[in-house]
Amino acid sequence: MQQNQSCSAGKARGEIMRAKRKKNYERHNVWRSYSDMMAGLLLLFVLVMCISFMQAQKNYQDRLAEESAHAQTQSQLQSQLDEQQALLNEQESELDEQAALLASQQADLDEQSALVASQQASLDAQSALLAEQESELDEQAALVASQQAALDEQAALVASQQATLDEQEALMAEQQQKIEQIIGVKADLIAALKQEFDAQNLNVTIDETDGSIALDSSILFGYNENELTEEGNALLGEVLPIYCTVLMSEEYVDYLAEVRIDGYTDTTGTYYYNLQLSQERALAVAEYLLSLSGSSISEADMESLQEKLSVNGHSWADPIYNDDGSINQDASRRVEIKFRLKDEDMINELKEILDETQEETADTEPETE
């Protein structure tokens, strides 16, 4: 407003001066231009001053406004700074609390870390122990596998042995049947011999085990003699036909393997002398037996008998003993006539094996209550 008033006053003064110049125009011709110029300069100066003043005032007002705005801005900034400072203080307090909490948590973490380290050490120790145990288990598994393989091998061996035993049992059963058959035939043959001798009223002793008959050499021969006496011829003439006829009968001839004539002496004299004497006596009995062909024994039976006949001298081997253990010299001087059935030796051996096997089985069987 002051600027406007200044401008209005200036304008008024200008008009007054122009009026004065107009009135004095004619009177002041010389000074007119000078005064006009001066007036113009003055006016220009005034205008410049007014403009400068107005510009200064405007700048001052702008500066005041700017300072006011700046002050307001500073005030706002200060307020914001205060708020931010309060917020920072609050955040700092929170940070302190969080730092304390973190310190507490760090302490807890340190404790937990120590506990974890201890547990880790324990776990490492347990892991080492487990590794050792696993190694032992692997060794035991390998041992078990080896033992299992050995058991499988033993099982296979047992199965093989069982199969072999089954085969042997089947063979033994077959042999047992054959043994029983041979034993039955032998028992029947011995019974037939006894029956036939009894029927002829001959007092002949037959061995129940092998069916042999023993003839006293004192009846058959003189002392140290190898020729049959009349009494010996008569005895052989009664005994040999019956004995050989029963052996060569259809019931038993197919089972017959050998007919043996064995000579024995007492224990006096040398072995060689007695061997020769026992052999000669056995041959004398065999010659008498062969002389019966066609008379007491048929030629066909005799031919078959000759194929099975064997003659042996045993010197003073296998003597006869008395009850007191002394040698019975008279009974030891004898000639034995015996027979052997086919496979009898094998059957006797198998029978002994079977008896031993049965005894072993009986010994190994567990006792039951």
Side-chain angles (χ1 to χ4, degrees):
M1 182 178 288
Q2 291 177 358
Q3 289 178 355
N4 291 331
Q5 288 177 0
S6 298
C7 290
S8 298
K11 289 178 180 181
R13 285 193 298 270
E15 288 178 357
I16 293 172
M17 291 177 69
R18 282 192 298 269
K20 286 180 177 182
R21 282 193 302 267
K22 188 176 180 180
K23 289 179 179 181
N24 296 318
Y25 181 71
E26 292 180 355
R27 290 180 299 173
H28 302 286
N29 287 330
V30 178
W31 299 100
R32 184 177 182 179
S33 296
Y34 180 76
S35 61
D36 288 339
M37 183 182 65
M38 293 300 290
L41 289 172
L42 181 62
L43 181 61
L44 179 60
F45 178 75
V46 172
L47 287 174
V48 171
M49 291 297 291
C50 289
I51 291 171
S52 297
F53 179 76
M54 290 176 65
Q55 184 65 37
Q57 189 174 9
K58 182 178 181 299
N59 289 336
Y60 177 73
Q61 289 179 353
D62 290 339
R63 184 174 181 181
L64 289 176
E66 184 178 353
E67 289 178 356
S68 177
H70 182 67
Q72 186 177 2
T73 302
Q74 286 182 345
S75 177
Q76 291 177 352
L77 289 174
Q78 185 64 38
S79 177
Q80 291 177 357
L81 287 173
D82 293 337
E83 291 177 358
Q84 290 178 357
Q85 185 64 36
L87 181 60
L88 286 173
N89 293 333
E90 184 179 355
Q91 291 176 351
E92 186 176 358
S93 177
E94 291 178 355
L95 287 174
D96 292 337
E97 293 178 358
Q98 290 179 356
L101 180 60
L102 286 174
S104 176
Q105 291 177 349
Q106 184 64 39
D108 293 338
L109 287 175
D110 292 338
E111 292 180 1
Q112 291 178 356
S113 297
L115 179 60
V116 167
S118 175
Q119 292 176 347
Q120 184 64 40
S122 178
L123 287 175
D124 293 339
Q126 291 178 356
S127 297
L129 179 61
L130 287 174
E132 183 179 356
Q133 291 176 348
E134 186 175 357
S135 176
E136 292 178 356
L137 287 175
D138 292 338
E139 292 178 359
Q140 291 178 355
L143 179 60
V144 168
S146 176
Q147 291 176 347
Q148 184 63 42
L151 288 175
D152 293 338
E153 184 177 354
Q154 290 179 355
L157 180 60
V158 168
S160 175
Q161 291 176 346
Q162 184 62 43
T164 304
L165 286 175
D166 294 338
E167 293 178 0
Q168 290 178 352
E169 286 180 358
L171 179 61
M172 290 173 68
E174 181 180 355
Q175 295 295 340
Q176 180 67 31
Q177 183 179 2
K178 193 172 183 180
I179 288 172
E180 292 174 356
Q181 182 180 5
I182 295 297
I183 292 174
V185 170
K186 190 172 186 179
D188 293 341
L189 180 54
I190 293 172
L193 288 171
K194 290 179 65 177
Q195 182 178 1
E196 191 64 27
F197 282 125
D198 291 341
Q200 298 297 327
N201 294 321
L202 292 176
N203 187 17
V204 178
T205 303
I206 301 176
D207 192 304
E208 297 287 343
T209 58
D210 59 8
S212 63
I213 56 176
L215 303 177
D216 191 350
S217 292
S218 61
I219 299 175
L220 299 177
F221 305 99
Y223 186 76
N224 285 337
E225 296 292 334
N226 57 11
E227 293 182 3
L228 290 170
T229 62
E230 293 182 1
E231 187 178 1
N233 286 326
L235 178 61
L236 293 178
E238 293 177 347
V239 173
L240 291 181
I242 297 174
Y243 192 84
C244 292
T245 300
V246 174
L247 292 178
M248 304 305 296
S249 64
E250 293 182 358
E251 293 182 62
Y252 308 112
V253 67
D254 292 337
Y255 295 97
L256 188 64
E258 182 183 17
V259 177
R260 297 178 56 182
I261 299 176
D262 294 328
Y264 299 89
T265 66
D266 57 23
T267 57
T268 61
T270 64
Y271 179 85
Y272 177 77
Y273 175 82
N274 286 322
L275 178 63
Q276 184 176 6
L277 180 61
S278 61
Q279 182 73 32
E280 291 172 350
R281 287 179 174 179
L283 285 172
V285 174
E287 288 175 357
Y288 182 86
L289 174 61
L290 295 174
S291 68
L292 298 177
S293 176
S295 57
S296 301
I297 302 175
S298 66
E299 293 182 359
D301 289 343
M302 184 60 69
E303 289 179 2
S304 178
L305 179 61
Q306 289 175 358
E307 296 176 357
K308 300 174 174 57
L309 183 63
S310 64
V311 180
N312 302 284
H314 299 277
S315 186
W316 36 254
D318 194 16
I320 304 298
Y321 292 90
N322 295 314
D323 294 338
D324 59 1
S326 61
I327 296 176
N328 188 331
Q329 301 291 352
D330 293 335
S332 296
R333 294 188 293 271
R334 68 196 185 278
V335 174
E336 291 184 356
I337 303 173
K338 61 183 70 174
F339 64 86
R340 181 176 61 83
L341 300 180
K342 292 178 179 178
D343 298 330
E344 185 175 354
D345 293 339
M346 180 189 70
I347 296 302
N348 291 332
E349 184 176 353
L350 287 175
K351 185 175 182 301
E352 292 178 0
I353 294 173
L354 284 174
D355 292 339
E356 292 177 359
T357 303
Q358 290 176 356
E359 290 177 359
E360 291 176 358
T361 304
D363 292 338
T364 56
E365 285 182 353
E367 296 182 358
T368 57
E369 295 182 357

